[in-house]
Amino acid sequence: MTAIQKFLSPRYRLLSHMTFWLVYMVYATLLYGTIHDDYWQGFMEVIITLPVKMTAVYFTLYYLIPRFLYARKYPGLILMFMASAILFGYADRLMMHTFYVPIYLKDYDYQKYPLMDLAKAVQRSSVVYLVVFAASAIKLVKQNYQTERFSQELGKEKLNAELKFLKGQIHPHFLFNTLNTLYALTLQNSPKSSEVVLKLSHLLDYMLYDCNVELIPLRKEIQQMQNLIELEQFRYGNRLEVSFSVTGDVSIQQVPPLLMLPFVENAFKHGVSKEVEEAFISIDLTLKDQQLILRVENSKAEDDSQPEAEYTKGIGLKNVSRRLDLLYDNQYDLQVFDEEETFMIVLKVPLSETEKPVVNQAPVQTSQV
């Protein structure tokens, strides 16, 4: 927290008020002392009139501003301001007449400048309200700062809540597909069931524990992409060819969790799921110039007449697109190519290098699943 933030913080209210009045007293003493060529006399004028100025300041800060300005009761504010300004002008003049004039202005002409002289009261009011205006300006700046800070914190909390909600909606896609696969294999008494359970447990562990952070190592996301591909391969068997290649060093890069998995899942769900013959999915992940480039391409069934919107309408892709908007604002690029026989997405996002390099990690190789 900076010095200005501390000064404006409610926790330091007493200190900030004391600092304000101390600064005012020093400034006014130097000013009046220079005018009178006597700094002690200047100091006494400040001390004598200080109670009136303090009363005017706190009356304005804690009554006029909250009751009228914040409530937007502008006619009442104007009337109360004018009445209080004249009142405090007379009060300041009374203090000067009672305590200052008898000591420092012994030749003062009371008949020429009577106590109830309105012009003199207005003159003294202008002196009082220079301090009031300065204090009010600080009050309004402080209020604006607190409002803006509260708005930012509220916006951040709303953003985090929406991100968690969107990320949470992605999870059922994995569970639905993998549980269906497991169910089919158990009906067949397939020995591959145990392998599916193991890979499913890795996915669940990833989603329930690893994903509860803002960023996750890219290599973990890649591992889960490979798990998902292998699980889906159990469903499609030999009629599906999947290639997955990674180019670049993934040991120190980080990405938001579940950022790329929905694109892969979408290729299976909306792409090859309707294919009755051989189908393909090609996934290329490239790290270049502090940028991640993901290209996912899948074949389409010959009788598949679904428009591009049908491919992008799924909950997973809608959510990941919304997450991209929230996480990267306009710093990402997502392109969709809907061709006659293929469907492809190309995603480009900036990378984060906040993880320590992993020692002796085997590089990810191009694989055919």
Side-chain angles (χ1 to χ4, degrees), residues 7-8 19 27 47 53 60 97 100 109 134 137 144 250 259 302 307 315 334 346:
F7 184 79
L8 296 177
T19 302
Y27 171 78
I47 292 297
K53 292 181 174 64
T60 302
H97 262 244
Y100 183 81
D109 190 345
N144 182 69
V250 301
L259 182 67
E302 293 182 0
I315 293 177
L334 176 61
V346 178

Side-chain angles (χ1 to χ4, degrees), residues 267 272 280-284 295-299 339 341-345:
V272 302
F280 77 89
I281 293 178
S282 175
I283 306 167
D284 294 314
R295 185 183 66 83
V296 180
E297 183 178 12
N298 59 266
S299 58
E339 304 295 341
E341 297 181 353
T342 62
F343 181 82
M344 180 173 66
I345 67 97

Side-chain angles (χ1 to χ4, degrees), residues 140-275:
L140 295 175
V141 168
K142 175 184 176 182
Q143 184 70 27
N144 182 69
Y145 166 78
Q146 292 175 340
T147 301
E148 184 177 353
R149 185 176 179 183
F150 175 76
S151 178
Q152 291 176 347
E153 291 178 353
L154 185 64
K156 185 176 181 180
E157 291 177 1
K158 182 180 178 181
L159 174 65
N160 289 335
E162 186 172 1
L163 283 172
K164 289 180 180 179
F165 174 73
L166 293 174
K167 187 170 65 176
Q169 285 189 331
I170 298 173
H171 297 174
H173 287 293
F174 303 120
L175 297 177
F176 181 79
N177 288 336
T178 52
L179 287 176
N180 271 350
T181 300
L182 180 60
Y183 176 70
L185 291 173
T186 54
L187 288 179
Q188 301 170 10
N189 294 320
S190 172
K192 297 180 180 179
S193 300
S194 59
E195 188 176 351
V196 172
V197 171
L198 179 62
K199 293 186 180 301
L200 176 59
S201 68
H202 289 161
L203 279 173
L204 289 175
D205 181 71
Y206 179 70
M207 292 184 292
L208 295 177
Y209 300 103
D210 292 347
C211 290
N212 294 325
V213 292
E214 293 183 4
L215 294 174
I216 198 165
L218 176 57
R219 54 188 173 81
K220 286 190 175 182
E221 183 85 353
I222 293 174
Q223 289 171 358
Q224 300 312 315
M225 291 169 68
Q226 292 173 327
N227 272 341
L228 178 61
I229 291 170
E230 292 175 11
L231 284 170
E232 292 288 1
Q233 187 68 38
F234 286 124
R235 294 176 58 196
Y236 295 101
N238 294 330
R239 69 183 180 89
L240 173 64
E241 179 183 356
V242 182
S243 65
F244 182 25
S245 65
V246 178
T247 304
D249 183 11
V250 301
S251 63
I252 61 173
Q253 310 296 346
Q254 297 212 20
V255 294
L258 296 175
L259 182 67
M260 297 181 293
L261 277 167
F263 293 110
V264 178
E265 189 270 344
N266 190 73
F268 286 99
K269 182 178 180 181
H270 295 285
V272 302
S273 61
K274 295 187 178 183
E275 282 279 15

Side-chain angles (χ1 to χ4, degrees), residues 8-155:
L8 296 177
S9 172
R11 181 181 177 184
Y12 295 89
R13 178 176 299 173
L14 179 61
L15 177 61
S16 62
H17 284 222
M18 292 176 62
T19 302
F20 173 82
W21 289 113
L22 180 61
V23 171
Y24 161 72
M25 289 175 63
V26 171
Y27 171 78
T29 298
L30 294 175
L31 178 63
Y32 297 153
T34 302
I35 295 174
H36 302 313
D37 199 23
D38 186 338
Y39 289 102
W40 177 253
Q41 181 179 342
F43 175 73
M44 290 306 299
E45 182 174 350
V46 171
I47 292 297
I48 289 170
T49 59
L50 186 62
V52 175
K53 292 181 174 64
M54 293 183 70
T55 305
V57 165
Y58 291 117
F59 173 78
T60 302
L61 296 185
Y62 296 108
Y63 181 77
L64 283 186
I65 291 179
R67 184 67 65 89
F68 294 97
L69 182 62
Y70 291 163
R72 298 185 178 182
K73 298 179 180 179
Y74 301 121
L77 175 64
I78 295 173
L79 291 175
M80 287 296 296
F81 173 77
M82 293 176 63
S84 61
I86 295 175
L87 177 63
F88 286 119
Y90 275 119
D92 188 80
R93 185 162 174 75
L94 176 62
M95 297 296 289
M96 291 290 288
H97 262 244
T98 304
F99 300 104
Y100 183 81
V101 170
I103 300 175
Y104 296 102
L105 301 177
K106 295 181 180 180
D107 297 332
Y108 188 81
D109 190 345
Y110 287 93
Q111 293 183 351
K112 184 176 181 181
Y113 303 109
L115 176 62
M116 301 306 294
D117 188 325
L118 179 60
K120 289 294 183 181
V122 172
Q123 181 183 16
R124 294 304 304 179
S125 176
S126 64
V127 176
V128 173
Y129 273 81
L130 284 175
V131 186
V132 173
F133 290 150
S136 299
I138 295 175
K139 170 76 172 180
L140 295 175
V141 168
K142 175 184 176 182
Q143 184 70 27
N144 182 69
Y145 166 78
Q146 292 175 340
T147 301
E148 184 177 353
R149 185 176 179 183
F150 175 76
S151 178
Q152 291 176 347
E153 291 178 353
L154 185 64

